[in-house]
Amino acid sequence: MVSMEEFNRIELKVGEITAAEVIPGSDRLLKVTVDLGADKRTLVGGLAKSFRPTELCGLQVIVATNLQPTRIRGVESQGMLLGVGCDQGTSIGLLTVSRRAPNGARVT
């Protein structure tokens, strides 16, 4: 079990995807730019089998913003999109907001 104190250490914010592109040499990774209000972040995720890059632009998603950056296929990923496995794990659904929210709003 995770304590509430531990869970509250994860910073979850609303962000809007402003750009997405395939990472060369990968059939499953996309490089995504997310507007978090005060800043923009580059994220890398295994989304290419579930989404075309053009489908993602304009989508408001939930982002874990205080994770240690990591380099994936030469691209620094500065956070993580939250998603769920669908269709018995063959595709991904992204967690989104049901009503427009300010980019950078903290998820509570």
Side-chain angles (χ1 to χ4, degrees), residues 27 29 36 40 44-45 64 70-71 90 98-100 104 106:
D27 62 346
L29 296 176
L36 292 165
K40 291 188 178 189
V44 176
T70 187
R71 193 162 287 281
T90 61
S98 61
R99 290 193 175 95
R100 194 95 187 134
R106 182 97 191 240

Side-chain angles (χ1 to χ4, degrees), residues 23-79:
I23 293 182
S26 174
D27 62 346
R28 57 180 273 277
L29 296 176
L30 293 180
K31 175 180 156 184
V32 176
T33 302
V34 179
D35 180 352
L36 292 165
D39 67 333
K40 291 188 178 189
R41 301 274 183 99
T42 298
L43 309 174
V44 176
L47 304 171
K49 293 196 182 259
S50 299
F51 298 96
R52 291 184 310 276
T54 55
E55 289 180 272
L56 296 172
C57 292
L59 195 61
Q60 280 195 306
V61 293
I62 306 303
V63 182
T65 59
N66 63 336
L67 301 176
Q68 182 99 19
T70 187
R71 193 162 287 281
I72 302 171
R73 292 279 179 127
V75 178
E76 185 176 77
S77 185
Q78 305 161 324

